[in-house]
Structure formats: C-alpha cells, structure tokens
C-alpha cells in the first residue's frame, strides 16, 4: 500500500495529461511536465494510492474542491464524520457566533460554519452492512486530484467475499462556472457476481463544527430549524439557518439513474434511494447534482426556493463537466506558470488551492482572506494578516479579486475606527482576527495541547495587521493603476490607519524619539516582558518601521490627490495641517532599537536569555512550537531570544533592499549591507519556524542576502502542506498564505519585480535550483504579459492591444516594450552585451 502522494517517503506526483485519458488509463495528453498544455490546461495531477486512515484528514484537505464561493473537503461520500473522516462544506463569509464555558470563563467564538453535507452516497448488498473502507476489505483504493479540470476522481475495489468484488469509480466537481452547483458521478461495476445493489443519497443537516480536536470544548451546533422535503420523484431539498447570524441556507439534490427512485426523508436528512441491478462486468451510473444557496447571495428571494429552481434547471453531469472544464482552462491561462520539476508540480497544486479559495467569483462577495482557505475549520475560518502574502499575487492576475478583498476591509473601516476610540486612540485599529462584521475575534484564552492548560491569549495586540491592510492598498494601486479606488476607498483606509499609528506614538525625551508601546510583533511568541504584570512590548522594529512607511505613503498620496477629492476627504475626517505636520515628524522619528550591531526585534530584546537550542532539539526533536514546550515545563518563551517566525526579517520581505535602506535613512539610520547580513544571521539562529510562513520569508530574504542557503527554506515552504510539516495541522485546513506566498516568491521575489512609478521594475536573483521559469501577468490593462527567465536572459512579451507601452526598468537600464513586441534582456550575470531593446513582434 503506497504512502501518501508526495509526503515523506512517497514518490512525487506524476505529470500526466487531460482528465479523460487519465481516467481511462490512456497516455499522457498534451503539455510537458511543468508547462500548460493545449487549451491552457496544466499537466499535473495529485495522486494517492491505498487507504491509510491516519492520512485521511490530510488527503481530505488537499483534495478539497471549491470555486471561490464554496468548497467541499475531499471526504469519501460513503463515510460519515468520525475520528478518521471529516466531510465539510463551507461558504465564504458564512459565520455564526456561539458562547461557550471555557476554564471557568464565558467566551464567544465566531466560526465559519460547516454547512449541511451534500456528499452522502452509500451502498450495500441487500441485507448487508453499508460498505466503507473501515467496514469492508479494500482491495484497491486510489484518489486522483485532477488540477487541470478541478475534479476529484476516486476508484475503490471492495472485496465482498467468495471472489465477488464491487468496483466504485467516482468523479466529483464543485462547479467553477456556476458557483452554486456541485456534482458527483458514481459508477458501480460488479466483478464476479450479479445481483441488486442498494444505493442511498442524502443531504445531511445533522453536521456540527467538529473538525479541530482542540476546539471540542467549544459550542459547535451552528445549524438550527432544519427541515426537509421533496420536489419531484428525483429531487429532495433541505433548509436550515445558522443559530445566531440567522443566515438561511437552502440545498437541493437531484439523483439521475436508470432505475426507479424513492424518497425517505427524516428529521435532519433528505434521502433518495434506489436499487441497481448489477451484472458482472457491466457498469451502472448514478449522478447526484446539488445546488446550494444562502441568504447572503445576491439576486435571489428565498434561498431554498432558489436552490430548488437552480437544480431543476441544471443540465446533466456531462454538460456540467464541460462548462466546468472550460472555466478552469480560462483560469489556468490567466495564471500560466512554467516552473520545471518537482517545484513546479507543487506550485501548481498551491495555485490550484488559491484559485479554489479566491476565484473571480470572489469579486462579487463581501469576504476577506481566510487563513486556512475554505478547506477546514482551523482558526475558525477567520481573516488574519495572510492577505499580505496573498494579494500581491492576485494583484497581477485578478486585480478585481484584490479590490473586492480590500473592500471587505473598507466596509469594516467604521468598526476599526470604533475599536481605536475604545482604547482612546484616533484613526482605525483593525482586528488581528476578523470575521463577519470586523470586530476583534481573537480568542481570550487558548489551549496548549501539550500541557492541557487554557491560557490567556494576548494576540489581539498584533495591531500590525492594519499596516498589512495599508500595504496592500498601496501595492494594489501601483500594480493595477486603479486611481478611482486609490483616491476614494483606498485613501480613506490609508488616512485612518496612518492616523492611528501617529496617535499611538508617544515622545520620549531621553531617546529624542517617538515610541509605540504595548504591542506584539509578527513573531507571536513574545507577548510580554519577563516578569511584567501585563502584556505588550515596546518598539517592535517591524511595527515601527512599517508604520513610518505607511505615514510617508499616506502623505504622498494626499499630496497627489485631486484638489476637490482632497478637500472632501479632509472635511469628512477633520484632517488639518497640524496633524499632517505631526505625521511627517513621526514618520522620521520613530524609534528603531538595536543591540550588538543588529536590529532588535523590540526594545529590551537584547537583554533576554539565550536558549539552549541544541539541548531542546535533542530532548524534543521537533521544536517548532517551542512556546508550548516551554509552557508545559513551567517556563515561558518570553524569557528568551527565540522567535516563532520572521519578525524583523519581515522588513526584507515587504521592501526591496533599496526601499528598506531609504526607510532606515528616513528614520535616521544607515542600514548598510553588513548590518542587514548580521541581522539576518542573528535571527536565523534563533527562529523555530513554528509557522508555515516562516520558511517563505526566510527563503525570500536569503535569496538576496545569502543565496546558497535560500533553497532549503523554499523547499520547506513548498513541502509545508503536502508533507504536513507542522504536525497534523493541514488536515484542519491548508495554509493559504504560505501557498500564495510560494507563487509570489517566483513571481516577485526571485524576479525582483516591483510595480511603482507606472513601471515594472525587475532585478532578478535566480537561484541555482530555480533559474529558468516563466509566468503570465496582468498589468494595468495588459492581459497575458509573459516573463521568461532563462540562462541569464529575461524575455518580456507584451500581447497586442491598444494599451500604452510598458516601461521595464532594470538596475542598469530601462526599455519600453510596445504591445505586440518581445524584448530580450541579457542580465548582468549573463554573457554578452545587454540587448538594446525590443526584438520585434512575437
């Protein structure tokens, strides 16, 4: 029995061709490994051989199918939720709030709701038990995730005794063209026997949010008012609502088979049944098509009626598959990524999951970036700062999606301003965890599974999340050229975020500097000083430097706003010249602490104790969650120079070397290469990498600071979810920020791509392990701009259009590429003189 696909000790997924050839055992179709084939299809599938109960949760997450509006985990349809299997369906933005008793405290938690399960389809011989891989001999089992088509194929051969075998083949899709539909085709083939097979399909409203073991002490019954009914002989429906948010949910299912269908609805389930006569060697097919609506959907009346109407009008499986494939082909063309080898295969899996979570359908929704995708219940489906790692990729492919995600933040600007007022500040303080309405959703207590203790949680002090919002507003404007958004909603967010940080800064006469006190940085380990009576740290370097950048960019934007718009904005917000002068002063005088010739993570960091890193690795092996280990020992990570993930080094992720030097100069410091290199080395030796984002940031930074070591961290991030390097967390949902970040590493990190001053700036740093690759971008009205880096040459192709030429800037030259032209540039490390400019059409 094979191990999980591409996990530890398992072979890498094979490159193969289109879905039909694969499913029928044919040869690989068009498209070489690492390149899109005809019709824009990618040439990769992700395959799992054998049934391994311990791996099911991981497989279910990685085999999730979605369309940006809703997603369903890759659970087997004949299996109910238990300790092995966890079917889950999640609609973007569908949250519900419940109250629980935790360690003697009443706590509220708002969760992304696990909606009624549309998957159930079980089968058995008359009088026998229902078949499942946990109750019957499994002779063969294979699951194949077809990235090209966005479909999940499954084949299982059940042994029935006496030489009898039942072969199950299923194809599943969550429709990418019609975001309210999903479908499941099941093919039954008898081997060595003939007889009846009982089949039961259902919509199950008895589900709960029970996908994360450490949340099991929390209330989880989000669905109420479940009712079921029929709409014809082949169709059943289920309606319900969420308990406190009162989101109404309507689901309808249609069963298609060449056999009589009966109904048997229960209190919480809508059921369709049929009996299939099987003949040895002959295949019988059952199609289940499902429609899902909620009261959050536009242009509908009653969700249940909308679902019944939609299922009645839905075409058959073959037609659905055709339009679904066409939609995926378009997505692959718009995000064409040509990276060879194993890295390319994993990157396409990452791209697949990003597109399933944040597709063009997302542009019509009021949703943020869920840190764990729509793939599970970890982090309760909340929105953190992960958009910082996601939007830069989307900006250059789906700017309309980036804009929608920023509008999610803008709609909650008033709530952020109210949060700032509640602590006596002006401006906008965005929450570390956000969900439906933008209030702070961070838990007040969290469980350490190692010690079993519920502990105070101070993560709400990670107020740098607002800086991430501002960063994305600015970068979106630079890459899209969307001046309407920048001058309106973008300007309003930037102004209020800048106002908050300027108001948070206090003057210190001793230092002659402004300081920002009582916060947490991205590290997350440190939330207080050793022995302090309360939480919070002073002068987190990442926070202070990034706040200075936000203040400077906001002042720059205000200077360039059209006068009528600037007047509107200042009148509405009460902004005056005195406040602007304060912003200017704070942007130049925020304190950046140093110790031993390196940038300090926060004031006082240099006085912390050194940890015995070799000793802890010998004792525990995996020390990624060092905070939990130390707490279980009765110690605290606050005492040590130890970081969970990049904190100071995040500055090297957000800003190019030139921009970072300019920022420090603005703050009165010379950041030379030696200081930065010492800083990188210092934190590399003191980071446990307890986040999937850690390897990404370190790989990005090392690509410029110490190229030879970068690939180790890039590989760690590429393997993060497929190998579940965080020890069981991927089964609770993928890590969307890390997945999107690996794509952006290729797109911007290794190319040195920046979008600023209405130009594409490029400063490539190809790694030896990844020196030749290509990609397609959408930039300021230009669709399908093609960049290819190969053997010391950079090729830029701009498709024909009526748009203006694109200015390309390299460190040593600038060229202008007209639509319809290709420009080949020899890079400084390459051979031969620089290419003079465009080489002509094509």
């Amino acid at each position: 029995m094979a191990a999980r696909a591409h996990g530890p000790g398992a072979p890498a997924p094979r490159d193969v061709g289109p879905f039909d050839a694969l499913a029928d055992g044919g040869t690989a179709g068009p498209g070489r490994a690492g390149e899109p084939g005809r019709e824009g299809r990618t040439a990769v599938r992700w395959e799992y051989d054998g049934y391994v109960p311990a791996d099911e949760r991981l497989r279910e997450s990685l085999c999730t199918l979605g369309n940006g509006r809703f997603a369903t985990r890759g659970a087997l349809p004949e299996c109910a939720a238990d300790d092995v299997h966890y079917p889950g369906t999640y609609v973007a933005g569908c949250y519900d709030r419940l109250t629980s008793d935790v360690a003697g405290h009443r706590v509220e938690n708002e969760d992304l709701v696990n909606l009624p399960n549309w998957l159930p389809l079980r089968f058995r011989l008359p009088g026998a038990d229902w078949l499942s891989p946990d109750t019957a001999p499994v002779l063969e089992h294979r699951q194949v995730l077809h990235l090209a088509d966005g479909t999940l194929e499954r084949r299982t051969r059940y042994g029935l005794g006496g030489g009898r075998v039942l072969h199950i083949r299923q194809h599943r899709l969550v429709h990418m063209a019609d975001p309210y539909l999903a479908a499941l085709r099941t093919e039954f083939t008898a081997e060595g026997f003939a007889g009846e097979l009982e089949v039961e399909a259902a919509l199950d409203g008895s589900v709960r949010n029970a996908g994360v073991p450490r949340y099991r002490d929390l209330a989880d019954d989000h669905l109420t008012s479940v009712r079921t009914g029929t709409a014809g002989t082949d169709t059943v429906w289920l309606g319900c609502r969420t308990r406190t948010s009162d989101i109404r949910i309507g689901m309808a299912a249609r069963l298609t088979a060449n056999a009589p269908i009966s109904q048997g609805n229960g209190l919480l389930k809508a059921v369709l049944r049929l009996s299939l006569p099987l003949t040895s060697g002959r295949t019988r097919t059952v199609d289940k098509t499902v429609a899902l609506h909620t009261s959050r959907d536009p242009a509908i009346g009653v969700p249940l009626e909308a679902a019944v109407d939609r299922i009645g009008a839905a075409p058959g499986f073959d037609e659905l598959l055709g339009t679904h494939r066409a939609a995926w082909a378009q997505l692959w063309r718009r995000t064409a990524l040509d990276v060879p080898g194993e890295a390319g295969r994993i990157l396409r899996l990452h791209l697949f999951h990003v597109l399933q979570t944040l597709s063009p359908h997302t542009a019509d929704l009021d949703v943020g970036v869920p840190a764990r995708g729509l793939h599970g219940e970890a982090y309760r489906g909340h929105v953190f700062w992960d958009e910082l790692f996601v939007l830069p990729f989307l900006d250059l492919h789906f700017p309309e999606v980036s804009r929608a995600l920023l509008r999610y933040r803008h709609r909650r600007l008033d709530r952020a301003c109210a949060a700032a007022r509640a602590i006596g500040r002006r401006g906008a303080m965005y929450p570390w965890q956000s969900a439906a309405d933008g209030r702070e959703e961070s838990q007040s207590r969290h469980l350490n599974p190692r010690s079993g203790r519920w502990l105070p949680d101070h993560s709400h002090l990670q107020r740098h999340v607002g800086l991430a919002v501002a960063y994305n507003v600015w970068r979106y404007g630079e890459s899209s050229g969307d001046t309407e958004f920048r001058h309106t909603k973008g300007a309003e967010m930037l102004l209020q975020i800048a106002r908050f940080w300027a108001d948070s800064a206090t003057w210190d006469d001793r230092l002659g500097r402004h300081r920002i006190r009582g916060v947490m940085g991205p590290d997350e380990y440190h939330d207080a000083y050793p022995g302090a009576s309360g939480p919070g740290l002073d002068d987190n370097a990442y926070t202070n430097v990034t706040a200075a950048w936000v203040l400077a960019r906001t002042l720059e934007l205000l200077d360039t706003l059209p006068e009528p718009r600037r007047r509107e904005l200042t009148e509405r917000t009460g902004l005056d010249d005195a406040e602007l002068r304060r912003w200017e002063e704070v942007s130049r005088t925020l304190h950046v602490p140093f110790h031993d010739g390196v940038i300090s993570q926060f004031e006082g960091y240099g006085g912390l104790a050194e940890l015995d890193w070799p000793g802890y690795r010998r004792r525990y092996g995996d020390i990624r969650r060092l905070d939990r280990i130390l707490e279980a020992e009765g110690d605290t990570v606050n005492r040590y120079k130890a970081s969970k993930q990049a904190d100071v080094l995040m500055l090297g992720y957000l800003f190019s070397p030139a921009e970072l030097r300019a920022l420090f100069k603005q703050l009165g410091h010379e950041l030379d290469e030696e200081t930065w290199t010492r800083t990188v080395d210092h934190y590399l030796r003191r980071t446990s990498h307890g986040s999937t984002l850690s390897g990404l940031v370190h790989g990005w930074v090392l690509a410029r600071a110490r190229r030879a070591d970068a690939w180790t961290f890039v590989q760690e991030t590429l393997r993060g979810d497929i190998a579940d390097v965080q020890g069981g967390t991927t089964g609770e949902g993928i890590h969307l920020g890390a997945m999107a970040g690996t794509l952006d590493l290729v797109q911007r990190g290794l190319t040195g791509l920046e979008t600023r001053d209405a130009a594409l700036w490029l400063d490539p740093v190809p790694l030896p392990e990844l020196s030749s690759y290509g990609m397609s971008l959408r930039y300021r009205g230009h669709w399908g701009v093609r960049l290819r880096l190969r053997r010391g040459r950079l090729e830029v192709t701009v498709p024909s259009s009526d748009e203006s030429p694109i200015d390309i800037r390299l460190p040593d030259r600038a060229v202008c590429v007209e639509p319809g032209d290709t420009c080949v540039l020899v890079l400084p490390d390459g051979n031969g003189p620089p290419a003079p400019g465009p080489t002509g059409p094509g």
Side-chain angles (χ1 to χ4, degrees):
M1 183 175 291
R4 60 185 177 226
H6 210 71
R14 298 192 299 273
D15 283 322
V16 289
F19 173 71
D20 284 335
L22 295 174
D24 294 328
T27 58
R32 301 188 305 277
E35 294 187 348
R38 290 194 295 268
E39 300 179 352
R41 292 186 180 182
T42 180
V44 173
R45 69 181 185 181
W46 210 257
E47 183 172 328
Y48 295 93
D49 284 317
Y51 176 65
V52 184
D55 290 346
E56 275 301 288
R57 292 291 181 98
L58 174 64
R59 294 185 183 186
E60 289 171 358
S61 285
L62 293 177
C63 291
T64 293
L65 296 181
N67 56 28
R69 178 181 170 271
F70 81 96
T72 298
R73 287 168 58 84
L76 298 176
E78 66 265 37
C79 296
D82 57 22
D83 290 339
V84 175
H85 311 280
Y86 193 71
T89 291
Y90 310 95
V91 168
C94 184
Y95 293 100
D96 189 58
R97 183 181 304 277
L98 296 177
T99 302
S100 309
D101 290 309
V102 175
H105 298 267
R106 294 283 286 172
V107 297
E108 283 189 355
N109 285 293
E110 189 166 61
D111 294 88
L112 185 68
V113 178
N114 182 20
L115 294 189
N117 182 15
W118 66 268
L119 281 178
L121 192 143
R122 57 183 184 172
F123 36 86
R124 66 182 176 186
L125 298 181
D129 293 333
W130 296 106
L131 294 171
S132 82
D134 303 308
T135 62
V138 177
L139 307 181
E140 179 183 345
H141 182 68
R142 174 175 294 182
Q143 289 173 286
V144 183
L145 181 65
H146 298 280
L147 304 186
D149 303 282
T151 56
L152 178 61
E153 178 188 5
R154 168 275 183 100
R155 292 174 182 248
T156 305
R157 296 176 70 241
Y158 285 116
L160 305 180
R164 300 173 302 166
V165 175
L166 181 64
H167 181 204
I168 310 298
R169 179 186 176 198
Q170 290 180 322
H171 300 137
R172 182 191 309 179
L173 61 88
V174 173
H175 210 270
M176 186 55 82
D178 186 332
Y180 305 98
L181 292 178
L184 173 69
R185 167 165 285 179
T186 306
E187 298 171 335
F188 300 97
T189 306
E191 300 176 12
F193 77 100
E196 295 292 314
L197 182 73
E198 295 179 0
V199 178
E200 181 182 284
L203 302 175
D204 182 5
S206 67
V207 301
R208 307 170 79 88
N209 273 54
V212 180
R214 61 189 174 278
Y215 299 166
R216 287 180 181 168
D217 289 341
L218 303 176
D220 59 8
D221 53 337
H222 291 282
L223 300 181
T224 187
S225 304
V226 179
R227 55 198 178 99
T228 62
T230 62
T233 58
D234 61 353
T235 301
V236 293
W237 54 259
L238 184 149
C240 61
R241 65 176 178 83
T242 54
R243 193 168 294 276
T244 61
S245 56
D246 200 29
I247 297 171
R248 287 164 292 143
I249 299 145
M251 188 177 284
R254 183 185 70 207
L255 209 59
T256 305
N258 189 18
I261 299 171
S262 63
Q263 297 153 346
N265 293 341
L267 183 62
L268 298 176
K269 291 184 180 181
V271 180
L272 292 164
R273 299 189 179 98
L274 57 87
S275 181
L276 288 178
L278 299 183
T279 302
S280 184
R282 182 183 175 190
T283 298
R284 302 297 300 269
T285 301
V286 177
D287 290 341
K288 182 180 183 181
T289 308
V290 174
L292 169 60
H293 275 283
T294 79
S295 54
R296 287 173 50 86
D297 297 338
I300 67 165
V302 179
L304 184 55
E305 293 177 2
V308 171
D309 289 346
R310 188 171 292 273
I311 205 65
F317 186 90
D318 292 327
E319 186 176 340
L320 285 173
L321 179 60
T323 52
H324 175 72
R325 283 175 163 174
W328 267 106
Q330 292 171 6
L331 293 181
W332 288 121
R333 283 198 298 269
R334 288 179 65 175
T335 56
L337 181 67
D338 177 6
V339 177
E342 181 184 8
R345 289 189 288 272
I346 300 172
L347 285 167
R348 281 186 289 278
L349 178 73
H350 288 184
L351 177 54
F352 178 76
H353 285 298
V354 171
L355 293 175
Q356 292 196 119
T357 307
L358 302 167
S359 79
H361 297 300
T362 308
D364 298 324
L365 305 177
D366 177 30
V367 298
V369 176
R372 305 301 286 273
L374 299 174
H375 298 59
E377 295 163 15
Y379 300 163
R380 302 179 184 87
H382 290 174
V383 177
F384 294 72
W385 73 326
D386 298 75
E387 62 208 65
L388 188 62
F389 304 89
V390 176
L391 263 65
F393 176 79
L394 295 176
D395 288 346
L396 292 167
H397 298 281
F398 303 100
E400 70 278 14
V401 176
S402 289
R403 180 180 172 124
L405 296 169
L406 291 171
R407 289 201 67 187
Y408 166 86
R409 293 297 193 178
H410 181 263
R411 290 186 185 101
R412 290 150 183 82
L413 179 60
D414 286 346
R415 173 75 76 163
C417 291
R421 287 194 299 272
I423 64 167
R425 304 274 175 82
R426 304 180 71 202
M429 183 178 73
Y430 278 96
W432 175 237
Q433 296 189 36
S434 179
D437 62 11
R439 77 182 73 176
E440 179 61 78
E441 301 291 353
S442 295
Q443 62 270 34
S444 59
R445 307 188 76 78
H446 68 267
L447 176 67
N448 180 356
R450 187 176 286 272
S451 69
R453 287 188 284 267
W454 286 91
L455 308 167
D457 190 300
H458 304 299
S459 57
H460 67 279
L461 294 176
Q462 291 191 73
R463 293 169 180 157
H464 61 81
V465 64
L467 301 170
V469 174
Y471 182 90
N472 279 331
V473 168
W474 185 265
R475 295 303 189 204
Y476 166 75
E478 291 287 278
S479 54
S480 68
D482 187 350
T483 54
E484 188 275 335
F485 182 85
R486 173 175 276 194
H487 290 170
T488 56
K489 297 173 177 64
E492 291 165 10
M493 284 189 282
L494 282 172
L495 186 155
Q496 297 293 3
I497 294 168
R499 172 175 273 169
F500 172 78
W501 289 106
D503 198 50
S504 297
T506 58
W507 181 256
D508 186 308
D509 285 329
R510 181 180 62 83
L511 291 175
R513 289 269 164 180
H514 280 95
R515 309 185 67 182
I516 296 175
R517 300 177 181 270
V519 300
M520 282 179 63
D523 158 43
E524 292 191 331
Y525 273 177
H526 296 89
D527 63 0
Y529 288 103
S533 59
L537 303 164
D538 299 336
D539 298 315
N540 172 255
Y542 168 81
T543 300
N544 285 14
V545 173
T546 311
W549 180 86
V550 168
L551 287 162
R553 296 291 76 76
T554 305
L555 289 166
E556 179 182 334
L557 174 60
L558 291 171
D559 282 343
T560 59
L561 279 181
E563 192 280 331
R565 174 57 185 153
R566 177 180 169 125
R567 182 177 178 181
E568 287 179 0
L569 195 61
T570 56
E571 286 177 349
R572 182 184 305 173
T573 60
L575 186 67
D576 58 25
D577 289 342
E579 186 173 4
L580 292 177
R581 286 193 296 273
R582 174 173 169 78
W583 292 10
E584 171 67 26
E585 180 188 8
V586 173
S587 74
R588 291 183 287 102
T589 59
L590 278 168
H591 177 48
V592 180
F594 286 79
H595 74 280
D596 300 333
V598 304
I599 305 166
S600 295
Q601 187 168 308
F602 50 83
E603 183 63 40
Y605 173 90
L608 299 181
E610 291 285 4
L611 184 79
D612 179 10
W613 292 90
Y616 271 86
R617 289 193 173 98
R618 283 193 303 270
R619 290 167 59 188
Y620 292 99
D622 184 352
I623 60 169
R624 287 184 175 90
R625 290 311 306 265
L626 183 63
D627 57 332
R628 293 175 175 174
I629 291 172
L630 289 169
E631 191 278 329
E633 292 182 344
D635 203 347
T636 173
V637 75
N638 283 326
R639 294 181 55 231
Y640 300 100
K641 294 188 182 85
S643 300
K644 175 184 176 183
Q645 58 189 328
D647 193 301
V648 173
L649 300 193
M650 274 296 300
L651 296 171
Y653 179 83
L654 294 188
F655 306 113
S656 69
E659 190 170 16
L660 190 56
R661 285 194 298 271
L663 258 176
F664 271 77
K665 187 172 183 179
Q666 170 187 316
L667 289 165
H669 301 281
E670 291 295 329
L671 183 64
D672 55 40
E673 187 173 342
E674 289 184 3
T675 301
W676 180 247
T677 299
R678 282 196 305 270
T679 300
V680 170
D681 290 342
H682 177 89
Y683 291 104
L684 271 175
R685 293 193 297 268
R686 294 167 175 84
T687 302
S688 70
H689 306 293
S691 163
T692 54
L693 295 172
S694 189
L696 167 68
V697 175
H698 285 87
W700 186 297
V701 170
L702 287 172
R704 295 191 179 275
R706 197 164 64 238
R707 197 176 303 182
D709 295 333
W711 187 244
T712 299
F713 291 94
V714 174
Q715 283 183 305
E716 173 84 357
T717 308
L718 288 172
R719 294 177 59 252
D721 275 326
I722 61 169
D724 200 8
V725 298
Q726 295 292 331
T729 62
T730 301
E732 302 166 353
I734 55 111
H735 297 83
L736 190 68
M739 284 190 169
T742 60
L743 301 169
D744 199 37
L745 173 69
V746 175
Q747 174 178 273
R748 293 191 310 128
L750 301 184
T751 60
L753 188 155
E754 294 180 85
T755 54
R756 54 184 171 90
D757 304 329
L760 282 178
W761 299 71
L762 294 157
D763 185 12
V765 284
L767 301 178
E769 300 86 352
L770 194 57
S771 59
S772 296
Y773 53 89
M775 70 193 76
S776 178
L777 307 176
R778 180 175 163 191
Y779 174 68
R780 293 196 168 208
H782 292 276
W783 293 59
V785 177
R786 187 74 180 166
L787 301 184
R788 176 170 288 280
L789 185 69
R790 182 163 45 196
R791 293 187 295 276
R793 290 174 178 264
L794 177 66
E795 181 179 297
V796 183
T797 299
V798 180
S800 298
S801 73
D802 60 357
E803 294 290 334
S804 301
I806 296 180
D807 287 330
I808 305 291
R809 309 286 178 89
L810 272 74
D812 60 345
R813 81 205 85 151
V815 297
C816 186
V817 186
E818 297 280 349
D821 283 354
T822 293
C823 177
V824 180
L825 300 166
V826 178
L827 301 176
D829 290 340
N831 297 316
T839 61

